[in-house]
Amino acid sequence: DKASSPSRAANVAPAPMNASLTFKYSKVSSRSSGRVAATVTASRAFTNAASRAGPDRRRYTGRDFVDAGPVMTDFRQQFLAFALARDVLRFGEFVTKAGRRTPYFFNAGLFNDGASLRELGQFYAQALLASRVACDQLFGPAYKGITLAAATAIALAEKGHNLPFSFNRKEAKDHGEGGTIVGAKLGGRVMIVDDVITDGGAKREAIDLIRAQGAEPAGVLIAFDRMERGRGELSAVQELSRDYGLPVIAIATLDDLLRFLAGEPRLRS
């Protein structure tokens, strides 16, 4: 899910531990895929401007969702500032895996130290809790999804939701415990955790794998929805949601990025 090289240079108060998230299913609204018309330029000075996510005042108690006051609505914008500070989100001229030109590049592989991975896990957890999509377990497709699922599981546990997680091997192991699944046995409603969706191939494989193990996919949780066109007129995210009837939850989307840029004159060309 990487582009080619550029052609030019929260803290939620702990609630009682749950073995699952049991919020009502909320079908994600479809959004038309769009393309960014203008190339934007990022200021290196802005890399010190990322702010840490503030407290989300919603409390999760037992199996119920309780509204304890105003909800933080800007964690998506804070995530984008965080991605800029880590150089995960960059601006310039890039070519996507699908061969399309794009003025920005999102590379989650640059969340590559303990502090940034811990912070990233908090954003994933916030997005999942805000979605109110029920799940019993997390699953990280090899390879990027492995650390992302683990970081999300830790962040959820810190918020009072201790969910098991697992991941797959690319090749089956023929000794020891064997098989392709590492970690908790797949069961119940499983949330797939990954960075982005390009053509949806890896997520489709994960969905089929989960079902083959007798579990049920609950949805797909990603860091950034690029709203890139899929195989037809819909975006890749919309196609995956349509084909499998599953919600796709993103910490932030292209729409969020455009709103973020509109509020930061230093980042507009």
Side-chain angles (χ1 to χ4, degrees), residues 29-69:
S29 58
S30 61
R31 292 181 177 178
S32 59
S33 58
R35 300 181 66 182
V36 183
T39 300
V40 290
T41 304
S43 169
R44 292 294 297 175
F46 187 76
T47 58
N48 295 322
S51 58
R52 297 180 62 85
D56 181 337
R57 293 183 58 197
R58 286 194 174 185
R59 301 292 185 263
Y60 299 85
T61 304
R63 300 173 71 86
D64 297 321
F65 178 80
V66 180
D67 192 342

Side-chain angles (χ1 to χ4, degrees), residues 161-173:
H161 302 279
N162 189 26
L163 273 61
F165 78 96
S166 57
F167 58 91
N168 66 304
R169 295 186 179 97
K170 287 287 189 179
E171 298 180 358
K173 187 178 179 182

